[in-house]
Amino acid sequence: MNYINYEVNMAARGSYIVPGFNVFGYEDAQAVIHAAERHHSPVLLMVNRDARRALALEHWSALLGSLARNASVPVAVHLDHCSDLDDIFQAVDVGFHSVMYDGSKLPLEENIANTKRVAEYAHARGVAVEAEVGTVPYSDMGEVTPEFTRPEEAARMAAESGADWLAVSVGNIHRQTCRATRINFQRLEEIQKVCSLPLVLHGSSGVLAEDLAKVRSYRVGKVNIGTALRQVFGGTLRATVLANPNTFDRLTLLEQSCEQAEDKAYELIGQMVV
C-alpha cells in the first residue's frame, strides 16, 4: 500500500477526510500545499482533463512531484477522471501516485473489467486506483440530475475490480458555483454497508458546509475540490489586473491570487480535518 492509499484508508476509518484539489499550475499547487502544511494534513494535487489538454502528463508529474517531495506533509499527484487506458498507464509510468479510471458511463461489467486492468497495472508499480460507479453530473454542461450509485453495484466493484477507492454519486454535482447541494445520507449509508472500500465524493464545491462536515462521520476517505478554488484564484486575478492596468509582471499580478487561493484552501481543508 503506497503512502497516499494509506492516508485515504486511515481517513475513511477515522473522522477526517483527505482533500484532493484540482490544480492548473505551480501557483495554485503551491498554495494548496502551504494550506495543507498549516493544517498538518495530507493532500492530493489532481490533474483533470482540462489540465491534461494544456500540459503533457510527464510535465505535470515532474512539476507537481517535485513540489510534493519538498512538502512537510504527505502530498500525492493524482490523475483525475480519465477513461483512456493508455493515458492512465502513461500516468502510472511517469510517476503519478494514484489514478482514477472513470468508466461510470459504461455498462457495469465493462467498467469493472477495465478498472481491473488498471488496478493490475497500477498495483504492480505501487500506484493506487480510484474507480467510479454511478454518475456525478456536470452543472456547466446543463446536467442537473445525478444517477445515484446503486449499493449492489458498488459492492460488485469493490469485490471484483481490485480498486482501492470508490467514487460515488449521492447527490453531489460537479462544478457548482454556489453551495446548495445536499448529500443523500441514506444512500451513502446503504453504500458503505456493502462496500468495504474508502469512498470518494466529487463536486464538493457545491455541497452545503454542514453536509460536508457530516460526511466526516461516514467511510469517506477523499473529497475532491475544484471550482471553489478556481473561483477565488480567477476572481482575484481579474480584480488585480483591472486595478493595475500598468502592471505587466505576472508574478506581481498573481501574488494576491496565490495568497487568496491558499486562504481558501486552508478554509476548505479545515472543514475536513477538524
Side-chain angles (χ1 to χ4, degrees):
M1 181 180 292
N2 75 6
Y3 71 93
I4 197 59
N5 195 8
Y6 171 81
E7 295 289 351
V8 171
N9 272 272
M10 291 299 294
R13 297 172 191 171
S15 57
Y16 66 100
I17 299 167
V18 178
F21 287 88
N22 287 123
V23 296
F24 301 89
Y26 82 86
E27 300 90 350
D28 50 356
Q30 197 151 258
V32 166
I33 291 174
H34 289 164
E37 289 175 329
R38 288 164 62 187
H39 272 297
H40 307 288
S41 170
V43 71
L44 295 97
L45 305 176
M46 304 194 304
V47 179
N48 73 1
R49 295 184 183 103
D50 296 334
R52 297 197 296 273
R53 281 193 287 266
L55 194 66
L57 289 172
E58 60 264 33
H59 302 314
W60 280 119
S61 179
L63 171 62
L64 301 181
S66 63
L67 293 174
R69 286 189 295 274
N70 285 280
S72 63
V73 296
V75 178
V77 183
H78 176 78
L79 182 70
D80 191 26
H81 280 294
C82 190
S83 56
D84 187 305
L85 297 183
D86 288 337
D87 285 349
I88 292 175
F89 297 153
Q90 182 188 6
V92 170
D93 291 341
V94 299
F96 279 65
H97 304 109
S98 55
V99 294
M100 178 190 182
Y101 172 68
D102 183 357
S104 59
K105 294 187 177 180
L106 298 174
L108 180 63
E109 299 288 347
E110 189 175 354
N111 189 2
I112 290 174
N114 287 347
T115 303
K116 186 175 181 179
R117 284 186 61 194
V118 170
E120 290 172 348
Y121 190 90
H123 290 166
R125 294 156 179 82
V127 174
V129 175
E130 178 181 340
E132 181 171 353
V133 173
T135 301
V136 179
Y138 283 81
S139 63
D140 59 333
M141 297 174 64
E143 302 171 355
V144 294
T145 305
E147 179 187 325
F148 278 16
T149 301
R150 298 176 182 175
E152 64 274 16
E153 294 188 349
R156 282 198 59 193
M157 178 64 78
E160 299 175 29
S161 71
D164 299 292
W165 319 326
L166 183 64
V168 296
S169 175
V170 288
N172 39 321
I173 299 174
H174 286 111
R175 298 189 179 181
Q176 285 191 302
T177 56
C178 62
R179 304 190 88 163
T181 299
R182 287 208 170 274
I183 296 298
N184 187 315
F185 287 101
Q186 179 179 345
R187 179 57 61 94
L188 187 58
E189 176 75 26
E190 291 169 352
I191 294 167
Q192 74 173 22
K193 281 182 179 178
V194 299
C195 176
S196 59
L197 298 180
L199 303 178
V200 179
L201 292 185
H202 291 222
S204 74
S205 295
V207 175
L208 290 168
E210 56 265 36
D211 278 20
L212 194 57
K214 188 177 177 181
V215 162
R216 294 201 307 266
S217 64
Y218 288 76
R219 201 189 304 123
V220 174
K222 171 176 172 276
V223 163
N224 289 14
I225 305 155
T227 300
L229 203 64
R230 288 204 301 273
Q231 285 180 291
V232 168
F233 194 98
T236 304
L237 177 58
R238 184 181 302 109
T240 301
V241 170
L242 292 174
N244 298 275
N246 296 320
T247 300
F248 56 83
D249 184 273
R250 71 176 187 178
L251 294 177
T252 301
L253 292 170
L254 287 168
E255 185 175 349
Q256 284 295 314
S257 290
C258 294
E259 291 176 2
Q260 292 299 312
E262 179 180 335
D263 287 345
K264 186 63 176 180
Y266 181 80
E267 172 195 332
L268 293 167
I269 294 171
Q271 295 172 9
M272 301 182 206
V273 300
V274 173

